[in-house]
């Protein structure tokens, strides 16, 4: 923490999350960095009651003794673009902030899984998605309308994939990758699972699996609800919770993969195109690097041999590492904070100080 006359400035991973104006001891006014400037009305909702120094993780999941830091590699992906309004930023500002944060973080190539059915002639979503590609990031298929495979027929699901593919196929930086919405690959219906797997192969699409998840979408929901209710949120605690949860999840998946496969595959982290990502992804990248991770491209991640594995499990849902572990009857497969009861309690205690 650096101190100047009248200010206490706090550095995050990119060094500019904000400054606390303290010239009047009886009043605290938060001044966000230019990248995170919010309208005054929104600031009134999200003024943070507490301020602490930068990220300091806790409850870390210890890696197994055989883990060598040099082979911990991870790539970044973002689901559900274009996404609706979050708690803090206007939707059209979010892509600009996120692109800048990725650049600051040194993430040269992430992949965005797109839902083209959300794009209309009355918004700037198509231009925002094009901006991701211009910045060097990749575009891939997430169905047109974010369908859940277990809730629809295989035929309807594949038709929605085709609709998204028609929009995406000639776009710059397109990749023939498909990610299942909700990570739902058919759940208990093996017939549906196998029909879609066959359909993807027929279309030349690879399963854009993930290996690291910490349910940022649920954290975003909690922030939206808190902002709508006028609750105070601790800015640093929100950042710390976001960063800490994903570093823990990465280490958890690394350990699970080594226990399951006997080696360290390239991990693929699942994030969503949220305000939290735009605000904190550079802090997350810095924390991962400090934890021994090397950030690689999405292209490199999907060249890993696990890209060619198709786990045969009774319940096809979740990360690739979880399903591979289930296939091999490996225990302790679930990262604890993906339990919504656990996540809600942590958000209330640490961010809302309830």
């Amino acid at each position: 923490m650096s101190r100047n006359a009248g200010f206490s400035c706090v550095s995050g991973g990119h060094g500019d999350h904000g400054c606390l104006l303290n010239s009047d001891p009886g009043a605290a006014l938060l001044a966000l960095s230019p990248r995170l400037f919010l309208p005054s009305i929104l600031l009134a909702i999200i003024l943070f009651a507490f301020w602490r120094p930068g990220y300091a993780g806790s409850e870390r999941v210890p890696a197994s003794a055989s883990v060598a830091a040099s082979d911990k590699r991870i790539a970044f992906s973002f689901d559900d673009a274009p996404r609706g309004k979050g708690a803090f930023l206007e939707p059209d500002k979010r892509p600009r902030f996120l692109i800048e944060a990725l650049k600051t973080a040194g993430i040269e190539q992430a992949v965005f899984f797109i839902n083209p059915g959300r794009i209309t002639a009355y918004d700037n979503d198509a231009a925002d998605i094009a901006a991701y590609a211009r910045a060097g990031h990749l575009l891939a298929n997430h169905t047109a309308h974010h369908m859940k495979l277990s809730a629809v027929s295989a035929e309807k699901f594949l038709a929605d994939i085709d609709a998204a593919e028609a929009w995406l196929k000639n776009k710059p930086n397109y990749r023939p990758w498909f990610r299942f919405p909700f990570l739902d690959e058919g759940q208990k219906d093996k017939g549906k699972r196998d029909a879609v797997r066959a359909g993807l192969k027929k279309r030349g699409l690879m399963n854009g699996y993930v290996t690291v998840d910490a349910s940022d979408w649920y954290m975003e929901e909690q922030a939206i609800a808190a902002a709508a209710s006028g609750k105070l949120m601790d800015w640093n605690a929100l950042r710390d919770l976001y960063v800490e949860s994903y570093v823990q999840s990465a280490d958890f998946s690394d350990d699970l993969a080594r226990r399951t496969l006997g080696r360290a595959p390239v991990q693929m982290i699942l994030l969503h195109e949220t305000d939290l990502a735009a605000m904190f992804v550079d802090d997350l990248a810095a924390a991962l690097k400090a934890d021994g991770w090397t950030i690689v491209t999405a292209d490199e991640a999907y060249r890993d041999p696990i890209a060619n594995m198709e786990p045969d499990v009774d319940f096809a849902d979740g990360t690739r590492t979880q399903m591979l572990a289930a296939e091999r009857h490996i225990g302790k497969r679930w990262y604890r904070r993906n339990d919504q009861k656990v996540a809600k309690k942590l958000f209330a205690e640490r961010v809302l100080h309830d």
Side-chain angles (χ1 to χ4, degrees):
M1 179 183 294
S2 62
R3 294 190 181 276
N4 298 308
F7 291 87
S8 297
C9 294
V10 181
S11 294
H14 45 68
D16 71 350
H17 269 321
C19 298
L20 185 66
L21 179 64
N22 57 20
S23 56
D24 179 359
L29 219 162
L30 181 66
L32 298 180
S33 67
R35 180 164 70 79
L36 299 179
F37 177 75
L38 302 176
S40 58
I41 293 177
L42 189 52
L43 263 179
I45 297 175
I46 65 164
L47 277 175
F48 307 116
F50 304 90
W51 191 263
R52 297 177 289 103
Y55 166 73
S58 63
E59 296 183 62
R60 299 297 298 280
V61 175
S64 60
S66 63
V67 170
S70 61
D71 64 355
K72 291 169 64 175
R73 294 166 294 158
I74 195 164
F76 278 69
S77 67
F78 298 86
D79 279 11
D80 300 0
R83 198 169 175 89
K85 185 174 174 60
F88 307 111
L89 305 174
E90 291 300 320
D92 286 335
K93 291 183 179 179
R94 183 194 303 136
R96 176 163 53 87
F97 293 156
L98 181 50
I99 287 168
E100 182 182 344
L102 289 168
K103 183 178 180 181
T104 300
I107 301 172
E108 297 179 358
Q109 187 208 77
V111 55
F112 287 80
F113 286 88
I114 310 299
N115 297 123
R118 295 175 172 172
I119 299 169
T120 74
Y122 310 104
D123 56 43
N124 296 318
D125 289 340
D128 291 338
I129 290 167
Y132 290 133
R134 284 197 304 274
H137 305 297
L138 308 181
L139 309 180
N141 193 322
H142 198 43
T143 72
H145 299 96
H146 206 262
M147 288 187 170
K148 192 170 188 176
L149 176 53
S150 61
V152 299
S153 68
E155 293 76 17
K156 185 173 183 178
F157 191 78
L158 288 167
D160 208 46
I161 292 174
D162 290 339
E165 200 68 7
W167 190 91
L168 283 162
K169 200 153 191 178
N170 295 317
K171 297 292 187 291
N173 284 8
Y174 159 83
R175 292 291 188 274
W177 302 336
F178 169 75
R179 178 168 292 167
F180 287 87
F182 309 97
L183 303 184
D184 178 348
E185 300 187 22
Q187 297 187 4
K188 295 181 179 180
D189 191 332
K190 288 191 176 184
K192 187 183 292 186
R193 179 199 70 183
D194 292 344
V196 172
R197 283 181 176 178
L200 292 177
K201 290 175 183 176
K202 182 179 179 180
R203 290 160 173 78
L205 294 172
M206 187 196 80
N207 184 337
Y209 61 86
V210 308
T211 61
V212 177
D213 182 22
S215 299
D216 63 326
W217 62 271
Y218 188 71
M219 204 179 302
E220 182 200 34
E221 283 190 358
Q222 296 298 300
I224 290 171
S229 300
K231 292 185 177 180
L232 300 179
M233 285 184 275
D234 183 336
W235 178 270
N236 274 4
L238 178 58
R239 177 197 63 212
D240 289 358
L241 183 61
Y242 180 89
V243 170
E244 174 190 292
S245 296
Y246 271 98
V247 174
Q248 280 191 16
S249 184
D251 287 339
F252 179 90
S253 186
D254 178 67
D255 179 71
L256 179 60
R258 292 171 193 268
R259 289 190 289 118
T260 301
L261 303 173
R263 69 178 189 89
V266 183
Q267 302 286 343
M268 175 59 80
I269 195 167
L270 168 59
L271 300 170
H272 292 77
E273 193 212 31
T274 64
D275 291 357
L276 301 185
M279 295 188 296
F280 303 138
V281 74
D282 41 359
D283 293 297
L284 172 56
L288 285 166
K289 291 174 185 177
D291 194 54
W293 289 92
T294 298
I295 297 173
V296 300
T297 65
D299 279 330
E300 180 174 343
Y302 283 151
R303 287 195 292 267
D304 191 281
I306 67 170
N308 300 316
M309 296 180 177
E310 291 189 327
D312 185 11
V313 290
D314 293 332
F315 192 83
D317 192 311
T319 72
R320 177 61 55 97
T321 39
Q322 286 166 350
M323 286 192 276
L324 287 170
E327 185 181 44
R328 292 158 174 76
H329 306 291
I330 304 296
K332 297 181 181 178
R333 298 188 295 268
W334 299 97
Y335 173 53
R336 180 172 175 269
R337 293 188 185 181
N338 284 320
D339 181 331
Q340 291 181 17
K341 290 182 180 179
V342 173
K344 186 173 184 177
K345 185 173 185 288
L346 283 169
F347 190 91
E349 291 176 349
R350 295 176 55 173
V351 181
L352 303 179
H353 298 279
D354 284 350

